[in-house]
Amino acid sequence: MTNEELINELTTIQPNLVPEAGGEWPNLFVEAADWPKLAQALRFKDDLFFDYLFCLTCVDWKTHLSMVYHLSSTLHRHNIVIKSKLNREKPEIQTVCDIWRTAEFHEREVYELFGVNFLQHPDLRKLILPDDWVGYPLRKDYEDPINMIKL
Amino acid sequence: MIEEIGTTKEGDLIINVGPQHPATHGVLHLVITLNGETIKKIEPHLGYIHRSIEKMCESLSYRQFIYTTSRMDYLSSHINNHGCAMLVEKGMQIEVPPRAQVIRIMMDELTRIASHVLWWGAMAMDLGAMTPYFHAFRERELINDIMEETCGARLTMNYQVPGGVMADIHPNFQRRVKDIIKQLYKKLPEYDELVTGNTIFKARTMGIGYISKEDAISYGVTGPSARASGVSCDIRKLYPYEGYEKLHFNEVLHTDCDTYSRYLVRMLEIRESISILEQLVDNIPEGDFQAKTKAVLKLPKGEFYTRVETARGELGVYVVSEGGTTPYRIKFRSPGFSNLSALDMMSRGQKIGDMVAIMGSLDLVIPDIDR
Amino acid sequence: MMSTEQQPIKFPGQVIDTPGGGILSGPIDDVINWARSNSLWPLTFATSCCAIEMMSTAAAKYDFSRFGFEVYRATPRQADVIIIAGTIVNKMAPVLKRLYDQMGEPKYVIAMGACATSGGPFFYNTYSVVKGADHVIPVDVYVAGCPPRPEALLHALIALQEKIKAGTKRERIDIDGNKLIDKRV
């Protein structure tokens, strides 16, 4: 399916999606509360069939955080990018581990580097930082005068 | 939910493997719950080589951040650099001259052969055979000599830059590549004689570490590990880049989904890479080796994503740019991270000796996982 | 072989330790040093890219078993030298310290590569890298390079052998602040 068809199909399923212009793949903003329903539709509807989540990350825009999910379909060979704005003080979003198993490790990494809480994640704890690390290193306001030597 | 090392109430034993261990290919800490010798659960603890590359790249310019990827998956360093250089070229609309494209592909395929050959030696050594390790390094040293003559370094070659390659190939390059193709054709049947047909090796790897096609896609497994389960995911075929669309090579797919077929897929991929080199070695076009670019590179505001096929799987580079000289946010989607998440599922119910074979067949490089 | 320096005892005349040992024990020390330096067994410790160059040094082209480093031991109890090949990060530093403590005396350390020497390419703007392995354990030989060529690592191994044959003294400060002279003969 082409980009326009994908955007049309998804806006019929979920009316309050906001497309973003630019980029080679369709970029769509979804509310954090509507994400579980949209994820189910993306994975299980036959003409969409996005079964391969190839990148899950988070970007810190200084006023808010934004989750980015890159999805692809091994059957129809189309790609899509779903984003979701999160509140900076209390970032929370539903997990997608039960739909795409690769999200388990990726969400743990986003949790420890950005502080996003994934609701109903089976095992949310630190993955690559030491267990007693304080702070969220990849946020833009992270200060660490002891370890980080600035050029 | 962090298990204490010791014995649980059901009588299971919880042990540590690593971080310093000869068979873990780097610093990987596995906490294994065992019932006798049968594995009940494997939990990887990562982070023993987390060098905060993503944070560091936010203060490096677009010419400098490419070289940190050489240190991430150091066995396919050319291919990683290629992905990053392609991203900068995509963002700034730079056209790469054909000579540079062909040189890049040849260096990529030489790197892929070197990585698979070292994987072969290391996997055989994990299973107890010492001899293949020395055979593997003999071939790898020949490829390192080619790299050193042209690129200047043996392991972390900073050769691919936005716009092309850093310097023209050495006059000896074509002759040496032809020599190494001849040498590999002579020696690959030796590899098969030593390991592939060996009864002990087959008994240790057939039927071990099964992962079905749907699970492989769901866990995000890519590269040769997924192609052994029948998932067609070779980026060189699906989203061809920079000249791969003109080459004739096969995507190696097996459907047995076990350790032995992951082994066979990689051995056949070495032969496919050699055939790509044969197609290109006499047809390097004349011209520039680097396009003219501005001195200071600035990507326009927006987001960019490129993917390349490394020796381990799909490497994705995602850059969010605010129009400055450094990336605002950069994320490397590394192949090992997703491949490792499938280790737990693949090993349940197997014996602990099988765990070493499964890890060897997944071809993990731990700095790639921890970044 | 550890002794604290004491005041010379009041005796007719003064007893002062001559540096370099006596006439009888000198040659014996030389023989022991020669034997130790020619059969150092390394520990398999490799964290990142320098590991591949270390493995190349162990392979057939730049063989280092002709210098005595024949056997790679996986357990620190049986190893003599630890070649730190790769970056040390905050999470790995206690592991390295524990491995070093588990090795038996006399033990030596080679810091291979730019990362183990001083943090290397990961010096600026990283929050998790230990800027040099000598923040964790005392290092005998440093090798420069990213990664160093196998010949450079061989040069470092030969330099370590020369250092052992010359007989070294190492100063340590114990937990109460007393200075201990660790005489390595």
Side-chain angles (χ1 to χ4, degrees):
Chain A
M1 291 164 90
T2 65
N3 290 356
E4 291 78 28
E5 287 172 16
L6 276 172
I7 297 181
N8 290 338
E9 166 111 25
L10 289 171
T11 36
T12 46
I13 301 177
Q14 183 77 47
N16 58 348
L17 285 179
V18 177
E20 189 189 14
E24 54 180 315
W25 300 322
N27 285 329
L28 294 164
F29 276 93
V30 71
E31 297 288 318
D34 300 326
W35 171 229
K37 184 163 149 278
L38 181 63
Q40 292 277 348
L42 285 170
R43 171 71 177 88
F44 293 112
K45 268 195 97 203
D46 280 326
D47 49 351
L48 295 173
F49 205 73
F50 285 103
D51 53 350
Y52 178 34
L53 171 67
F54 60 91
C55 187
L56 198 167
T57 182
C58 181
V59 186
D60 182 6
W61 304 101
K62 302 186 174 109
T63 50
H64 60 273
L65 296 174
S66 131
M67 289 291 302
V68 182
Y69 298 82
H70 283 76
L71 294 157
S72 170
S73 168
T74 53
L75 195 59
H76 304 292
R77 300 291 173 202
H78 44 223
N79 304 302
I80 196 171
V81 181
I82 308 280
K83 300 189 194 179
S84 177
K85 284 202 172 84
L86 299 176
N87 186 358
R88 202 143 195 249
E89 276 71 43
K90 199 166 178 298
E92 272 186 349
I93 194 170
Q94 184 81 355
T95 182
V96 286
C97 288
D98 39 353
I99 310 177
W100 296 287
R101 301 297 298 272
T102 184
E104 262 182 67
F105 270 26
H106 281 97
E107 286 177 352
R108 277 174 73 178
E109 188 196 347
V110 170
Y111 163 69
E112 68 182 340
L113 292 174
F114 284 94
V116 177
N117 185 16
F118 290 94
L119 305 166
Q120 292 174 359
H121 191 279
D123 188 18
L124 197 65
R125 57 191 158 94
K126 290 201 191 308
L127 184 67
I128 52 181
L129 291 176
D131 285 331
D132 48 1
W133 198 270
V134 171
Y136 300 118
L138 247 57
R139 287 203 182 183
K140 293 289 173 182
D141 52 1
Y142 179 73
E143 290 294 328
D144 192 353
I146 307 172
N147 285 325
M148 287 183 72
I149 301 177
K150 296 221 183 287
L151 189 55
Chain B
M1 255 183 275
I2 302 172
E3 288 96 358
E4 295 295 322
I5 310 297
T7 318
T8 64
K9 286 197 272 289
E10 293 91 30
D12 297 331
L13 187 64
I14 302 182
I15 62 168
N16 258 338
V17 175
Q20 181 260 340
H21 194 274
T24 52
H25 300 281
V27 277
L28 179 62
H29 181 192
L30 297 173
V31 176
I32 307 185
T33 309
L34 289 175
N35 180 5
E37 264 202 35
T38 316
I39 297 177
K40 286 181 75 173
K41 184 163 125 154
I42 291 189
E43 197 190 298
H45 285 203
L46 306 172
Y48 289 90
I49 189 72
H50 173 64
R51 294 178 281 195
S52 48
I53 288 182
E54 291 179 1
K55 182 86 180 179
M56 191 171 79
C57 286
E58 289 175 9
S59 53
L60 294 175
S61 75
Y62 283 106
R63 283 193 197 274
Q64 290 171 321
F65 87 93
I66 298 184
Y67 307 134
T68 57
T69 47
S70 277
R71 273 101 184 139
M72 259 169 37
D73 179 4
Y74 41 81
L75 291 174
S76 24
S77 51
H78 269 300
I79 311 178
N80 293 4
N81 290 353
H82 193 170
C84 291
M86 261 169 52
L87 183 131
V88 177
E89 284 150 16
K90 197 170 169 182
M92 296 191 60
Q93 317 281 329
I94 301 175
E95 180 82 34
V96 180
R99 184 177 173 86
Q101 285 186 356
V102 169
I103 297 177
R104 276 181 172 181
I105 295 184
M106 290 185 75
M107 289 295 182
D108 280 359
E109 295 305 318
L110 280 171
T111 310
R112 200 184 309 272
I113 296 175
S115 168
H116 283 325
V117 156
L118 187 142
W119 157 82
W120 177 78
M123 180 170 178
M125 193 165 75
D126 284 346
L127 296 180
M130 276 301 292
T131 316
Y133 172 80
F134 296 103
H135 285 250
F137 269 91
R138 175 189 59 200
E139 260 69 69
R140 206 184 134 80
E141 289 294 331
L142 291 173
I143 297 182
N144 279 348
D145 285 342
I146 299 180
M147 297 291 178
E148 199 183 2
E149 246 188 345
T150 303
C151 316
R154 290 158 48 100
L155 188 70
T156 50
M157 295 73 90
N158 303 331
Y159 185 59
Q160 305 202 6
V161 290
V165 291
M166 204 179 247
D168 208 354
I169 48 177
H170 196 271
N172 280 344
F173 182 74
Q174 281 166 305
R175 179 182 61 84
R176 282 202 187 224
V177 171
K178 289 189 190 150
D179 283 343
I180 202 176
I181 292 176
K182 266 203 302 253
Q183 166 94 342
L184 279 169
Y185 272 137
K186 237 181 3 180
K187 298 296 180 185
L188 281 175
E190 257 184 42
Y191 289 9
D192 287 332
E193 249 182 71
L194 269 178
V195 178
T196 313
N198 191 320
T199 331
I200 302 177
F201 184 78
K202 276 187 172 169
R204 277 195 77 167
T205 53
M206 281 181 131
I208 307 289
Y210 182 83
I211 180 166
S212 67
K213 185 172 173 185
E214 290 74 31
D215 276 335
I217 301 176
S218 178
Y219 274 99
V221 180
T222 50
S225 315
R227 292 201 272 282
S229 299
V231 180
S232 164
C233 59
D234 196 340
I235 306 290
R236 300 174 288 169
K237 287 281 193 198
L238 293 178
Y239 306 100
Y241 50 95
E242 302 224 330
Y244 273 112
E245 56 269 2
K246 302 191 203 109
L247 297 169
H248 301 290
F249 64 101
N250 300 326
E251 182 179 0
V252 182
L253 283 177
H254 275 226
T255 46
D256 285 334
C257 314
D258 64 357
T259 303
Y260 192 60
S261 50
R262 288 192 276 274
Y263 173 88
L264 287 176
V265 164
R266 288 201 176 92
M267 299 305 280
L268 290 172
E269 277 194 2
I270 299 180
R271 291 175 194 271
E272 295 297 327
S273 292
I274 299 177
S275 92
I276 293 180
L277 284 176
E278 275 179 331
Q279 288 171 44
L280 287 176
V281 69
D282 282 320
N283 303 329
I284 306 181
E286 300 296 325
D288 288 331
F289 54 86
Q290 192 179 8
K292 291 237 175 308
T293 55
K294 294 203 263 282
V296 175
L297 298 174
K298 278 193 193 174
L299 248 66
K301 197 163 141 93
E303 299 174 358
F304 306 95
Y305 191 96
T306 38
R307 357 150 90 136
V308 282
E309 174 79 15
T310 67
R312 268 143 207 92
E314 173 193 331
L315 173 79
V317 188
Y318 173 61
V319 162
V320 175
S321 159
E322 287 281 280
T325 49
T326 62
Y328 185 77
R329 162 89 172 112
I330 184 164
K331 155 100 182 145
F332 295 107
R333 185 259 179 223
S334 55
F337 197 64
S338 311
N339 288 3
L340 178 68
S341 56
L343 178 68
D344 185 22
M345 200 219 70
M346 278 198 255
S347 322
R348 295 213 174 176
Q350 318 268 2
K351 303 274 186 268
I352 192 148
D354 299 330
M355 191 265 306
V356 179
I358 297 173
M359 275 204 358
S361 75
L362 278 179
D363 198 6
L364 300 169
V365 165
I366 311 299
D368 186 34
I369 299 178
D370 285 346
R371 277 161 281 130
Chain C
M1 290 280 176
M2 209 192 79
S3 57
T4 51
E5 268 193 354
Q6 296 160 326
Q7 298 288 350
I9 309 168
K10 275 255 179 266
F11 192 72
Q14 270 189 329
V15 179
I16 304 171
D17 256 330
T18 49
I23 298 177
L24 275 182
S25 52
I28 300 181
D29 287 340
D30 285 341
V31 168
I32 294 178
N33 285 346
W34 169 86
R36 275 197 185 134
S37 67
N38 282 332
S39 85
L40 289 166
W41 286 358
L43 176 69
T44 56
F45 184 83
T47 46
S48 61
C49 351
C50 283
I52 304 295
E53 290 297 274
M54 192 167 71
M55 284 159 68
S56 290
T57 317
K61 189 170 178 186
Y62 306 98
D63 192 12
F64 65 12
S65 70
R66 44 195 171 128
F67 299 105
F69 298 80
E70 168 72 38
V71 191
Y72 256 113
R73 304 313 288 184
T75 161
R77 301 283 186 196
Q78 297 168 356
D80 293 316
V81 63
I82 179 168
I83 304 180
I84 307 178
T87 324
I88 303 294
V89 295
N90 283 334
K91 201 168 177 182
M92 190 68 190
V95 177
L96 177 61
K97 180 91 178 62
R98 187 192 254 189
L99 285 173
Y100 182 73
D101 288 338
Q102 283 179 339
M103 284 165 74
E105 292 279 345
K107 52 194 174 185
Y108 307 95
V109 178
I110 297 182
M112 176 181 176
C115 291
T117 307
S118 69
F122 305 100
F123 189 79
Y124 290 112
N125 295 316
T126 50
Y127 50 83
S128 63
V129 171
V130 174
K131 320 277 192 278
D134 50 10
H135 287 262
V136 185
I137 55 180
V139 173
D140 287 302
V141 182
Y142 297 88
V143 192
C146 189
R149 280 198 58 118
E151 284 100 335
L153 182 61
L154 287 174
H155 181 78
L157 295 172
I158 296 175
L160 180 65
Q161 289 181 333
E162 302 290 322
K163 185 174 180 179
I164 298 172
K165 282 191 209 150
T168 51
K169 257 193 202 191
R170 176 183 287 173
E171 220 173 61
R172 281 192 289 160
I173 299 187
D174 79 349
I175 206 146
D176 299 317
N178 302 324
K179 248 198 212 170
L180 308 168
I181 305 288
D182 174 12
K183 223 165 53 147
R184 293 258 182 103
V185 285

